[in-house]
Amino acid sequence: AQSVSQHNHHVILSEAASLELGCNYSYGGTVNLFWYVQYPGQHLQLLLKYFSGDPLVKGIKGFEAEFIKSKFSFNLRKPSVQWSDTAEYFCAVNAVNRDDKIIFGKGTRLHILP
Amino acid sequence: GAGVSQSPSNKVTEKGKDVELRCDPISGHTALYWYRQSLGQGLEFLIYFQGNSAPDKSGLPSDRFSAERTGGSVSTLTIQRTQQEDSAVYLCASSRPRDSIQVEFFGPGTRLTVL
């Protein structure tokens, strides 16, 4: 079965620092990939997604992620974080043509110091 | 409705009691998911319904957990003989039909506390 690993459980950065959150998945076939964000007290919401095409995906709020098939990775990046980016971030994968369920990683708590 | 709704928003129960959690998906969404969110555990997949297909129950942690979806719309998650370790936020999500690009829309969750 597919699985998702997020390497960083808790990240603390200062404002304007660059961010990269790691995500690796285990499935050798075609995948759809997602990053979700949960701001304090709010619902989970989609940040960005990859289905096909350009492996560099742009999302909301200046976030981007790069799908590297050879590394089974989909790391999330932002060049300059803001205090408002404090949230929990979840990577997710859906194995296409296998089953349709979406499996999530355990999440990374990001805390931005003002 | 505009989004996925769940009820109740909070449920406090005593150990050993049964609870039912409800999810109303977005109209037209044929896929419905239940997840459990616990501190330090991330989002744990529980069960997945897709149209009229048999549900994928592979994530249910024990036979005390069950879920049904009536008429392809509303779903209820039932936990029998609740235990303290069942305390968590239970999230429901729905997404569009199989042939479309699937993106999950999440409900606000039900916070279950078992005393």
Side-chain angles (χ1 to χ4, degrees):
Chain A
Q2 66 266 32
S3 63
V4 180
S5 297
Q6 291 184 242
H7 319 299
N8 317 101
H9 300 294
H10 197 181
V11 173
I12 302 174
L13 295 172
S14 297
E15 276 195 310
S18 65
L19 170 72
E20 181 160 1
L21 302 182
C23 173
N24 285 88
Y25 64 92
S26 64
Y27 180 65
T30 303
V31 291
N32 296 325
L33 296 157
F34 311 83
W35 276 98
Y36 284 81
V37 60
Q38 188 170 32
Y39 297 103
Q42 296 189 26
H43 301 188
L44 272 159
Q45 56 185 281
L46 183 69
L47 196 57
L48 51 78
K49 61 185 185 290
Y50 170 82
F51 291 118
S52 63
D54 189 345
L56 184 62
V57 179
K58 304 285 188 183
I60 60 172
K61 304 186 180 185
F63 284 91
E64 65 178 33
E66 185 175 12
F67 170 46
I68 303 179
K69 188 174 182 179
S70 61
K71 295 185 178 180
F72 298 90
S73 70
F74 191 57
N75 292 356
L76 181 70
R77 300 194 294 249
K78 184 170 183 178
S80 178
V81 294
Q82 300 171 305
W83 177 78
S84 58
D85 293 325
T86 295
E88 189 159 15
Y89 294 80
F90 294 91
C91 182
V93 64
N94 158 229
V96 177
N97 297 326
R98 178 172 178 170
D99 55 42
D100 294 316
K101 67 188 182 192
I102 299 177
I103 300 298
F104 286 77
K106 291 189 180 297
T108 298
R109 287 186 177 272
L110 176 65
H111 186 72
I112 306 299
L113 302 173
Chain B
V4 178
S5 61
Q6 292 185 245
S7 60
S9 55
N10 278 285
K11 177 71 177 178
V12 180
T13 191
E14 293 179 347
K15 178 181 173 181
K17 301 282 190 183
D18 298 351
V19 295
E20 271 193 5
L21 312 180
R22 177 187 168 106
C23 171
D24 284 86
I26 293 173
S27 178
H29 281 195
T30 58
L32 187 147
Y33 305 76
W34 282 98
Y35 294 90
R36 178 166 69 176
Q37 186 175 23
S38 308
L39 192 63
Q41 296 299 314
L43 265 75
E44 179 186 3
F45 167 79
L46 296 177
I47 188 169
Y48 164 59
F49 297 90
Q50 173 60 274
N52 295 322
S53 302
D56 181 341
K57 304 179 182 179
S58 60
L60 295 178
S62 78
D63 58 7
R64 296 186 295 105
F65 287 72
S66 63
E68 62 177 28
R69 190 176 184 193
T70 53
S73 180
V74 172
S75 177
T76 54
L77 176 69
T78 301
I79 309 173
Q80 295 178 309
R81 305 181 302 281
T82 52
Q83 303 294 314
Q84 288 183 331
E85 60 262 29
D86 299 335
S87 296
V89 176
Y90 288 83
L91 293 169
C92 178
S94 70
S95 64
R96 284 176 282 179
R98 179 187 291 267
D99 295 334
S100 303
I101 293 173
Q102 295 196 8
V103 177
E104 293 185 356
F105 295 87
F106 283 86
T110 294
R111 182 176 295 279
L112 174 66
T113 304
V114 181
L115 302 176

